[in-house]
Amino acid sequence: MKKIGLFFGSFNPIHIGHLILANYILENSDMDELWFVVSPQNPFKDKKSLLTDHNRLDMVQLAVKNYPKMRASNVEFSLPKPSYTIDTLTYLKEKYPNYSFALIMGEDNLDSLPKWKNAEKLMSDYQIIVYPRTFEGEKKDSEYLQHENISMVNAPIIELSATEIRNMLKEGKNVRPMLPPEVFEYLDGSSFYK
């Protein structure tokens, strides 16, 4: 059975931090592939700074084209809105019965996990791989890390954010080192984020 890690996000834009993390997980787990699931427009997020679904998908496809174990997924584009992780996983399980799926999430999302739709089913039916994030204040261990399907990876902490990159682009600053070269080329000369 093929094991697929699912890394959900807006990827607005995808940056080298995302690729470093994805590569680390692939090289240090039993995952066969890692899919970047581009999330459609979130009704609660600021629409002004969010590129269209297809622009963000294009950037992810460009970023992963030289990584054979990574791919871009637009699976949520055709699912009912808002997108719930459990619904996406259920759909993927039906579409790919010979694959097993694991969820990849930042440590900062762990404590809100019980508020997610069908959280108990999510935790009992799927492996959840948690990567470290920096915290304001003191770091605390989540009780959810004791769950048999939830594991923490010792991935490098990348202090790089898409928000910071968008702000730098708006100010005309050089973001080339922060982006995969293909994504930099895609954005360079465009009016995106300006």
Side-chain angles (χ1 to χ4, degrees), residues 20-189:
I20 291 168
L21 184 60
N23 189 69
Y24 182 91
I25 290 169
L26 280 166
E27 295 299 326
N28 293 283
S29 73
D30 58 352
M31 294 293 145
D32 296 301
E33 289 181 6
L34 186 142
W35 296 359
F36 288 92
V37 181
V38 180
S39 302
Q41 169 69 56
N42 179 329
F44 303 108
K45 283 204 173 172
D46 180 12
K47 288 181 173 64
K48 286 196 304 285
S49 67
L50 189 64
L51 292 189
T52 70
D53 297 347
H54 290 284
N55 286 133
R56 292 179 292 115
L57 180 67
D58 287 346
M59 287 190 287
V60 174
Q61 286 170 331
L62 288 168
V64 302
K65 73 177 185 183
N66 295 317
Y67 296 88
K69 291 182 170 186
M70 296 181 200
R71 70 179 251 207
S73 171
N74 64 355
V75 63
E76 290 195 331
F77 291 13
S78 58
L79 295 177
K81 311 287 182 291
S83 303
Y84 293 103
T85 303
I86 191 69
D87 296 340
T88 304
L89 286 163
T90 302
Y91 172 82
L92 286 169
K93 210 171 177 181
E94 286 168 10
K95 187 171 179 180
Y96 302 101
N98 297 325
Y99 291 11
S100 73
F101 294 96
L103 180 59
I104 297 164
M105 70 162 57
E107 188 178 6
D108 50 334
N109 289 314
L110 203 52
D111 285 330
S112 66
L113 189 58
K115 297 183 184 122
W116 291 24
K117 181 180 176 185
N118 297 0
E120 285 302 320
K121 184 170 178 52
L122 201 60
M123 291 188 277
S124 65
D125 292 6
Y126 297 94
Q127 181 186 5
I128 299 173
I129 297 168
V130 180
Y131 60 88
R133 296 292 291 256
T134 55
F135 286 100
E136 294 299 319
E138 200 174 307
K139 201 169 173 135
K140 56 182 177 24
D141 283 333
S142 171
E143 63 183 273
Y144 301 103
L145 287 173
Q146 309 307 315
H147 194 283
E148 63 181 354
N149 284 342
I150 300 176
S151 58
M152 185 84 173
V153 291
N154 195 22
I157 296 173
I158 312 293
E159 293 199 51
L160 188 59
S161 79
T163 305
E164 180 184 1
I165 292 167
R166 289 194 306 272
N167 290 337
M168 288 179 72
L169 281 164
K170 200 179 292 175
E171 295 163 12
K173 294 180 178 172
N174 181 17
V175 295
R176 185 186 292 264
M178 301 172 185
L179 299 172
E182 301 84 356
V183 174
F184 178 79
E185 296 301 328
Y186 184 89
L187 291 173
D188 195 37

